[in-house]
Amino acid sequence: MSNMKHIAVIGAGLGGLAAGSLLQKAGFNVTVYEQSPAFARLGAGIHMGPNVLKVFRRMGIEQQLEDLASHPDFWFSRDGETGDYLSRIPLGAWARKEYGAAYVTVHRGDLQAMQMTSLQPGSVQFGKCLSSVEDSGSDVVLRFQDGSEARADIVIGADGINSKLREHLLGVEAPTYSGWVAHRALIRGEQLRKYNLSFEDCVKWWSEDRHLMVYYTTKARDEYYYVSGVPHPAWDIKGSFVDSSQQEMLETFGHYHPVVQALIECSESVTKWPLLNRKPLPVWSEGRIVLLGDACHPMKPHMAQGAAMAIEDAAMLTRCLTETGLSDYATAFRLYEANRKERASRVQAVSNANTFLRAQEDPAWVYGYDVFAAPLKSEVTS
Ligand code: FAD
């Protein structure tokens, strides 16, 4: 059992909420501080593989998610122009049997709301933008933009790619623009009924230098979603996305299969997101501060595992802190890094290369992983 001290998590993204929930369930006293005044249901979907559903089981939200989400039987990869199948990766019942949990796709706003229900009421504070942090040696002082302060025994930086805590540990450095963008759009399922075409549950359309990932975000198949990956010259990027258009989608994917043309025709609103990156960080923690998720190892999203890695990080960090107790956080942080770095770096490299599941391959190394069952490597042998 931990010493009942206070853990602060900065950022209520998918990684921060998982950390908050799992640490609370392990008996720790946790507050999550989020800069946004409230959550918005932004127009985006997300894949959650069996490796993550096993974590959601511990958080008590696996069934809730299964009830809402779409359950694809396959991940199909298809040639964007001819429609030929490049791979058929079995999911559905196969995933449950081989990897120990379901594979689902869902709206990320719905997922975040569901995660919130697994935290103690009142333990997520909104409108708290961290502006500075001071490790006094005996605790950490957090200062927020609204002038308030908080103290914590340890601080978990789950504050995303522009992490203030990463900056505190390693200095100011903007992320790198990868040279790629992602277009995103949600389509009402009813709009697809007028076509004599088959809209598959989970399909990635590929050509030489671009792709379009498409899937349902609900079990009822009333919301379809696409996200592209397209090379794009840099522009003056302010904010996390800009508006795009049907016209831009036509210019980019006009040579693709008729199914893709139908999706473009049904796109009422399209946004365009720069895909940002960072080189692997030399340290993941210092003193009483530790990083997870995009704050620590951001990646291009082409493997659909970025949030998954943040959630696995949260689970492993909880496991290590439970093992050592909060007062020996230094050992816990070293154990955590020793048990996460190799896997997160491998996923980061494969995701950045955008090769995952393009051809028939066995994804067991990703989906079969169970962060709670994996033997714990000692920090010394890592
Ligand atoms: P974030 O989700 O970025 O959350 C950080 C939180 O910290 C935010 O809520 C932010 O408001 C808050 N914050 C930031 N600064 C402060 C501050 N100073 N004070 C307080 N709060 C702060 N991953 C998947 O697993 N599957 C997918 O299908 C998938 N698809 C993707 C598609 C696209 C186009 C993109 C761009 C990414 C995709 N990802 C996917 C990756 C995934 O979105 C990220 O890896 C994931 O969101 C990282 O989670 P996080 O909790 O580390 O950070």
Side-chain angles (χ1 to χ4, degrees), residues 294-312:
D294 276 12
C296 196
H297 43 66
M299 59 190 82
K300 281 164 77 194
H302 308 320
M303 202 175 153
Q305 283 288 323
M309 290 305 106
I311 293 164
E312 285 185 8

Side-chain angles (χ1 to χ4, degrees), residues 104-127:
V104 301
T105 56
V106 68
H107 192 291
R108 58 187 301 153
D110 294 342
L111 176 62
Q112 207 168 16
M114 215 173 273
Q115 282 195 319
M116 276 290 288
T117 64
S118 77
L119 280 100
Q120 290 161 8
S123 61
V124 181
Q125 295 194 12
F126 289 94

Side-chain angles (χ1 to χ4, degrees), residues 55-368:
V55 180
F56 290 158
R57 192 171 295 162
R58 298 280 179 125
M59 290 167 62
I61 57 169
E62 183 187 27
Q63 192 55 51
Q64 233 181 311
L65 177 60
E66 285 217 28
D67 291 346
L68 180 71
S70 171
H71 290 249
D73 283 330
F74 289 91
W75 165 310
F76 295 121
S77 281
R78 298 182 66 175
D79 184 293
E81 292 166 35
T82 64
D84 291 347
Y85 285 83
L86 309 173
S87 73
R88 291 180 170 87
I89 309 297
L91 302 172
W94 174 268
R96 283 185 200 279
K97 182 166 147 286
E98 295 297 318
Y99 311 135
Y103 189 105
V104 301
T105 56
V106 68
H107 192 291
R108 58 187 301 153
D110 294 342
L111 176 62
Q112 207 168 16
M114 215 173 273
Q115 282 195 319
M116 276 290 288
T117 64
S118 77
L119 280 100
Q120 290 161 8
S123 61
V124 181
Q125 295 194 12
F126 289 94
K128 293 286 176 192
C129 181
L130 183 76
S131 50
S132 73
V133 63
E134 196 184 312
D135 188 339
S136 73
S138 58
D139 68 357
V140 186
V141 183
L142 302 162
R143 297 196 179 87
F144 299 98
Q145 262 177 20
D146 64 1
S148 61
E149 278 189 16
R151 300 186 95 92
D153 293 278
I154 64 165
V155 180
I156 299 173
D159 48 346
I161 191 157
N162 293 305
S163 168
K164 197 78 192 167
L165 288 157
R166 189 215 62 83
E167 188 181 305
H168 177 79
L169 299 189
L170 292 160
V172 180
E173 190 183 356
T176 325
Y177 173 56
S178 67
W180 284 55
V181 294
H183 302 87
R184 284 167 146 172
L186 284 170
I187 294 166
R188 285 180 288 118
E190 68 196 40
Q191 288 178 288
L192 302 175
R193 287 195 210 118
K194 60 179 178 276
Y195 300 100
N196 188 21
L197 293 166
S198 164
F199 297 98
E200 289 159 323
D201 285 348
C202 177
V203 54
K204 188 164 175 178
W205 300 89
W206 303 72
S207 54
E208 203 181 325
D209 70 341
R210 63 199 58 200
H211 66 256
L212 196 71
M213 179 86 232
V214 191
Y215 52 90
Y216 286 100
T217 59
T218 61
K219 186 177 258 180
R221 294 195 178 90
D222 54 7
E223 194 174 71
Y224 210 36
Y225 167 72
Y226 65 69
V227 52
S228 78
V230 179
H232 193 293
W235 77 95
D236 188 17
I237 303 157
K238 295 215 171 61
S240 44
F241 67 92
V242 294
D243 285 335
S244 178
S245 62
Q246 256 187 1
Q247 186 52 38
E248 184 172 343
M249 284 302 290
L250 272 178
E251 285 158 16
T252 313
F253 290 101
H255 56 303
Y256 266 43
H257 191 272
V259 166
V260 173
Q261 301 317 307
L263 299 182
I264 296 174
E265 199 170 83
C266 292
S267 307
E268 289 167 321
S269 155
V270 188
T271 52
K272 182 166 72 175
W273 303 64
L275 298 182
L276 305 174
N277 224 330
R278 284 187 192 279
K279 292 203 191 83
L281 304 190
V283 291
W284 285 24
S285 68
E286 194 180 277
R288 293 171 176 273
I289 297 170
V290 64
L291 304 177
L292 67 71
D294 276 12
C296 196
H297 43 66
M299 59 190 82
K300 281 164 77 194
H302 308 320
M303 202 175 153
Q305 283 288 323
M309 290 305 106
I311 293 164
E312 285 185 8
D313 284 351
M316 182 57 80
L317 185 54
T318 303
R319 200 176 153 189
C320 296
L321 282 164
T322 306
E323 191 92 359
T324 64
L326 187 51
S327 48
D328 194 9
Y329 60 84
T331 303
F333 291 174
R334 284 197 296 273
L335 262 181
Y336 158 68
E337 185 171 340
N339 284 280
R340 288 302 300 155
K341 199 163 202 167
E342 191 184 319
R343 178 168 168 84
S345 304
R346 182 176 176 196
V347 169
Q348 196 179 21
V350 175
S351 200
N352 287 339
N354 192 22
T355 50
F356 188 61
L357 307 187
R358 181 172 189 155
Q360 199 67 29
E361 65 173 290
D362 181 0
W365 70 276
V366 183
Y367 302 149

